[in-house]
């Protein structure tokens, strides 16, 4: 039987859904029996627990729940860690796996991975005397100077998203817990607390694994999902509609109880017996030694109760349709912007037109006060007055037609220039 562990904080209810998609991707590609271990806190609701139970039972696997409370020593050390504003407490639960899960070894997975291979290959890896098996962090060279400041080697720095823990080997290291606490106390400026701690405590005795067990998705590149565990470790996660893994993520999510109507789930919940939890799988004494306690794997479903069939999910939008919808929104927003810009321009023109009109009124008022200025016209204006104009050359009164244009150099109308 394969032992598989996930750990998360479900404050907004979304990470239980992501965990379900991860489990579905494992169940669909693995033929061996799997025993799931969920490390959680009080944020995981009973309804989401039942959904995870229903999912595991529908694939004929078992599941265990471990309510976790961080020890006072770790909580006190994390209180001074600056980067905990970015990470949740659920990221630290994996540090307690050796004291919580009483098995020889266990596979740990983050909730932002998509498994597209049989994890029996990873489970069959012989760790020998190594504490764990992990994959070199493919993005660590960009921050190599940071991890080097903590005394860690960037060349052998592993990622904590996919780990094969050799729990028996770790338990033989009696001071492993004390070393974790001391590192957090000594380095409050750590940027990746859980990962830095694991590298500090176990980095000198770990087994490097094949990269296909933890293949990073790099933004801008199409990932190869064939026979790999793809890890969306960057800002764009697999549940992001613009992610290249969104379609595959949705395919797995469609087979989970999150696609079953809530009223159907509520009716099913009434027929299920109360779930049991692994309240105390083990404890750690002040010296750092681990003492495994009693823990039982269980199937919380009553075999006498029929298992409701998973209804196919509603059709979800493809990545292309999502991109088209976003493009249409941008076009509409651009149209609204241009329309508003035209309106503002029209208002400004009206205002400037009003200013010109007020200037014309001032000119007319000034000409009324000074009649002699009526004969002094500017170039390019139209003569609307029918009063005669005296020409200096002929001394004749020549009536001007209304609207005739004046010469720029003299006040002689253009139609009368050839008059002798």
């Amino acid at each position: 039987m394969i032992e598989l562990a996930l750990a998360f904080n479900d404050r907004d209810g979304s990470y239980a859904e992501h965990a379900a998609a991860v489990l579905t991707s494992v169940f669909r590609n693995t033929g061996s029996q799997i025993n799931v271990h969920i490390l959680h806190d009080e944020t995981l609701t009973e309804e989401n627990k039942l959904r995870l139970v229903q999912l595991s039972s529908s694939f004929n696997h078992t599941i265990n729940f471990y309510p976790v409370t961080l020890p006072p020593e770790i909580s006190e050390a994390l209180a001074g860690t600056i980067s905990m504003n970015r990470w949740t407490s659920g990221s630290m639960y994996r540090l307690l796996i050796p004291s919580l899960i009483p098995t020889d070894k266990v596979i740990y997975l983050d909730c932002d991975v998509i498994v597209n291979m049989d994890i029996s290959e990873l489970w069959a890896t012989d760790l020998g005397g190594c504490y764990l098996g992990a994959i070199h962090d493919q993005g660590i060279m960009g921050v190599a100077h940071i991890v080097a400041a903590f005394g860690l080697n960037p060349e052998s720095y592993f990622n904590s998203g996919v780990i094969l823990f050799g729990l028996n080997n770790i338990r033989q290291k009696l001071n492993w817990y004390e070393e974790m606490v001391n590192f957090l106390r000594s380095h409050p400026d750590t940027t990746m607390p859980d990962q830095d701690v694991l590298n500090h405590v176990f980095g000198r005795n770990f087994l490097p694994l094949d990269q296909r067990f933890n293949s990073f998705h790099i933004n801008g590149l199409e990932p190869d999902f064939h026979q790999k565990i793809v890890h969306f470790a960057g800002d764009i996660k697999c549940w992001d509609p613009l992610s290249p893994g969104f379609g595959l993520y949705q395919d797995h999510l469609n087979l989970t109880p999150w696609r079953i109507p809530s009223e159907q789930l509520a009716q099913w919940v009434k027929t299920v017996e109360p779930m049991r939890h692994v309240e105390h799988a083990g404890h750690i004494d002040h010296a750092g030694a681990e003492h495994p306690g009693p823990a039982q794997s269980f199937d919380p479903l009553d075999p006498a109760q029929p298992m409701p069939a998973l209804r196919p999910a509603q059709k979800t939008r493809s990545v292309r349709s999502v991109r088209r919808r976003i493009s249409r929104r941008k076009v509409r927003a651009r149209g609204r912007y241009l329309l508003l810009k035209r309106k503002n321009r029209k208002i400004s023109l009206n205002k400037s037109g009003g200013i010109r009109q007020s200037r014309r009124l001032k000119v007319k008022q000034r000409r009324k006060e000074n009649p002699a200025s009526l004969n002094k016209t500017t170039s390019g204006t139209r003569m609307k007055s029918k009063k005669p104009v005296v020409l200096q050359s002929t001394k004749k009164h020549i009536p001007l037609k209304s609207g005739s244009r004046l010469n720029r150099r003299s006040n002689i109308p253009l139609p009368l220039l050839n008059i002798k």
Side-chain angles (χ1 to χ4, degrees):
M1 178 180 289
I2 299 176
E3 307 291 341
L4 177 65
L6 280 76
F8 56 87
N9 176 284
D10 198 35
R11 185 173 302 171
D12 59 354
S14 62
Y15 259 80
E17 187 173 347
H18 303 330
V22 174
L23 291 177
T24 305
S25 68
V26 174
F27 296 159
R28 295 178 71 182
N29 292 281
T30 304
S32 304
Q33 185 70 24
I34 299 175
N35 186 29
V36 181
H37 307 270
I38 302 293
L39 280 64
H40 65 92
D41 52 21
E42 71 280 355
T43 59
L44 182 61
T45 64
E46 293 297 322
E47 184 178 6
N48 283 339
K49 288 180 186 177
L50 288 170
R51 286 193 175 105
L52 292 171
V53 170
Q54 185 187 18
L55 171 65
S56 301
S57 299
S58 64
F59 285 92
N60 297 320
H61 300 296
T62 55
I63 189 169
N64 307 272
F65 293 93
Y66 299 77
V68 178
T69 301
L70 289 177
E73 300 85 4
I74 292 184
S75 299
E76 180 184 355
L78 290 177
T81 303
I82 303 174
S83 60
M84 284 307 295
N85 296 330
R86 178 183 177 187
W87 310 104
T88 64
S89 59
S91 63
M92 307 300 294
Y93 297 163
R94 75 194 75 185
L95 303 182
L96 304 177
I97 287 179
S99 65
L100 293 177
I101 302 178
T103 60
D104 295 341
K105 62 179 181 178
V106 66
I107 296 175
Y108 171 82
L109 297 178
D110 268 350
C111 291
D112 57 352
V113 305
I114 293 181
V115 179
N116 204 38
M117 63 177 298
D118 193 330
I119 63 171
S120 300
E121 300 181 42
L122 177 58
W123 179 254
T125 303
D126 184 12
L127 292 176
C130 297
Y131 296 131
L132 54 86
I135 297 85
H136 182 260
D137 194 303
Q138 297 141 54
I140 197 60
M141 289 307 172
V143 290
H145 61 287
I146 298 178
V147 298
F150 303 143
L152 305 175
N153 184 7
E155 297 293 335
S156 60
Y157 189 92
F158 61 83
N159 181 264
S160 62
V162 178
I163 296 179
L164 177 61
F165 281 102
L167 299 182
N168 281 345
N169 295 339
I170 293 176
R171 290 172 187 136
Q172 294 176 6
K173 182 180 175 66
L174 299 181
N175 61 340
W176 65 271
Y177 176 74
E178 184 179 1
E179 288 185 14
M180 288 183 176
V181 176
N182 290 337
F183 179 86
L184 292 174
R185 289 173 176 171
S186 303
H187 301 284
D189 54 343
T190 173
T191 55
M192 296 171 287
D194 64 290
Q195 195 163 275
D196 289 345
V197 166
L198 291 173
N199 276 272
H200 171 73
V201 179
F202 307 119
R204 297 180 181 179
N205 185 25
F206 86 100
L207 178 66
L209 301 178
D210 195 306
Q211 186 173 322
R212 63 193 181 94
F213 292 124
N214 188 359
S215 178
F216 274 26
H217 161 61
I218 302 175
N219 296 341
L221 298 179
E222 290 293 332
D224 179 17
F225 291 100
H226 182 65
Q227 291 298 311
K228 290 182 179 180
I229 300 177
V230 182
H231 188 185
F232 293 81
D235 295 332
I236 300 180
K237 301 298 184 181
C238 52
W239 53 80
D240 192 313
L242 297 181
S243 170
F246 180 72
L248 191 56
Y249 170 83
Q250 288 292 328
D251 289 341
H252 296 317
L253 189 63
N254 289 344
L255 298 177
T256 69
W258 271 261
R259 295 307 192 200
I260 292 180
S262 57
E263 58 273 9
Q264 181 177 345
L265 180 65
Q267 184 177 3
W268 174 74
V269 166
K270 296 178 182 178
T271 65
V272 179
E273 294 182 355
M275 290 190 303
R276 293 171 289 162
H277 298 82
V278 181
E279 296 293 346
H280 300 285
H283 67 277
I284 303 171
D285 60 16
H286 295 287
E290 191 276 338
H291 304 281
Q296 298 178 355
S297 115
F298 66 95
D299 184 357
L301 288 180
D302 184 358
Q305 298 293 340
M307 185 68 192
L310 292 175
R311 197 179 71 171
Q314 297 178 354
K315 186 178 180 181
T316 57
R317 295 187 178 95
S318 63
V319 176
R320 184 175 298 177
S321 65
V322 172
R323 289 177 176 171
R324 283 198 301 265
R325 187 171 72 253
I326 294 175
S327 178
R328 286 195 296 268
R329 289 179 180 176
K330 291 182 179 179
V331 171
R332 287 196 294 268
R334 177 67 178 172
R336 289 192 297 268
Y337 166 75
L338 293 177
L339 181 61
L340 182 60
K341 188 176 180 181
R342 292 193 197 100
K343 288 183 179 179
N344 293 337
R345 185 170 180 270
K346 187 175 181 181
I347 292 173
S348 62
L349 288 176
N350 290 339
K351 288 182 178 180
S352 61
I355 294 174
R356 287 196 295 270
Q357 184 67 19
S358 63
R359 288 177 179 174
R360 292 193 190 101
L361 293 175
K362 290 181 180 180
V363 171
K364 288 182 180 181
Q365 184 67 24
R366 189 166 59 250
R367 286 182 178 179
K368 285 181 181 180
E369 295 175 357
N370 186 11
S373 64
L374 292 175
N375 294 333
K376 297 179 181 180
T377 59
T378 58
S379 62
T381 60
R382 293 182 179 272
M383 296 292 294
K384 295 184 179 180
S385 175
K386 294 183 179 181
K387 295 182 180 181
V389 178
V390 179
L391 299 178
Q392 296 180 359
S393 59
T394 60
K395 302 296 183 181
K396 294 182 180 180
H397 295 283
I398 303 175
L400 296 178
K401 295 182 180 180
S402 176
S404 61
R405 194 155 49 91
L406 297 178
N407 191 336
R408 292 183 179 180
R409 295 186 179 181
S410 65
N411 291 335
I412 303 175
L414 294 179
L416 305 177
L417 290 178
N418 297 327
I419 296 177
K420 296 181 180 179

